[in-house]
Amino acid sequence: MRKLVYYIASTLDGFIAGPDGADPTGPDGFWPIPEDYIAHMIAEYPETLPGPARAAFSITAEGTHFDTVVEGRRSYEIGIKAGVTDAYPHLRHLVFSRTLGESPDPAVEIVATDPAARVRELKQEQGKDIWLVGGGELAGSLYAEIDTLIVKLSPMTIGAGIPLFSHKATFRPDAWTLADHRILDSGVAFLRYERATTTATATAGE
């Protein structure tokens, strides 16, 4: 069965963006992008680079991890404001929103139904894994559905901002197993965790 993978960049203090929710890697952003970070993404996760970046780096590789990307409205609108209606034209692209209405791009599917139910349907389909790109609010709604957590941990703190999971995540202490890690010379750590057990599951079995 396909997995839902939350592949996301985070600061040491657990934030994925600043308080305004704007793209932290954009022209006015504060998030550094080291050369070895880009090189590692091109080598290991080329499908997670947006279309314009793939074109700039002449990337044509499909990638081995994902063929589908899901995101929330606020995350999607970052691209819209930059004039990009489909940042990932090389992937099946779903945006969860109850207010967006008609899709700005024919290749982007707007989903107004329950995110968890739709993701469970996607998991049953054939294909590669499903990439949850963000943001924190959607990740909170899908907290129980996330099978793999890949954190691109940046050696920086910002004090306040958009957390890895929003308040929509229910209190549910889960155990995760470190399955892989890569520390770059720049200090960025790629940490892959697989969901192990949950408190809810353990309690139910007692």
Side-chain angles (χ1 to χ4, degrees):
M1 187 170 70
R2 305 166 80 190
K3 293 182 178 181
L4 179 65
V5 182
Y6 191 18
Y7 172 85
I8 190 72
S10 172
T11 63
L12 291 176
D13 46 353
F15 297 108
I16 62 175
D20 61 359
D23 182 4
T25 64
D28 299 320
F30 57 85
W31 207 299
I33 306 295
E35 290 185 7
D36 59 356
Y37 173 85
I38 293 295
H40 185 68
M41 289 183 64
I42 291 174
E44 299 295 333
Y45 300 94
E47 68 270 43
T48 64
L49 290 169
R54 286 170 60 89
F57 289 110
S58 301
I59 299 172
T60 58
E62 291 184 359
T64 59
H65 301 281
F66 314 114
D67 59 14
T68 302
V69 59
V70 298
E71 64 179 331
R73 176 182 59 81
R74 290 184 179 88
S75 176
Y76 178 59
E77 286 182 340
I78 291 176
I80 295 293
K81 291 177 182 178
V84 180
T85 58
D86 185 5
Y88 306 101
H90 50 289
L91 300 174
R92 181 182 178 187
H93 193 167
L94 292 84
V95 174
F96 290 90
S97 173
R98 292 186 172 90
T99 61
L100 196 55
E102 185 177 352
S103 176
D105 192 292
V108 177
E109 177 185 344
I110 304 299
V111 182
T113 54
D114 176 47
R118 186 69 180 97
V119 164
R120 285 193 291 269
E121 292 174 352
L122 291 172
K123 286 183 178 183
Q124 297 298 324
E125 298 175 1
Q126 295 295 319
K128 299 174 184 176
D129 286 339
I130 304 155
W131 171 30
L132 168 57
V133 67
E137 187 169 333
L138 179 60
S141 298
L142 293 173
Y143 177 74
E145 296 298 327
I146 296 171
D147 304 293
T148 303
L149 180 60
I150 301 177
V151 180
K152 299 172 285 183
L153 193 63
S154 178
M156 67 179 302
T157 56
I158 60 174
I162 306 298
L164 200 64
F165 295 100
S166 77
H167 65 281
K168 288 196 173 184
T170 56
F171 178 71
R172 172 179 152 163
D174 286 353
W176 298 79
T177 300
L178 180 63
D180 190 26
H181 70 279
R182 173 74 180 273
I183 312 298
L184 306 182
D185 290 340
S186 60
V188 178
F190 281 72
L191 308 172
R192 179 166 66 86
Y193 292 91
E194 300 292 341
R195 187 185 290 276
T197 60
T198 69
T199 300
T201 301
T203 302
E206 291 178 355

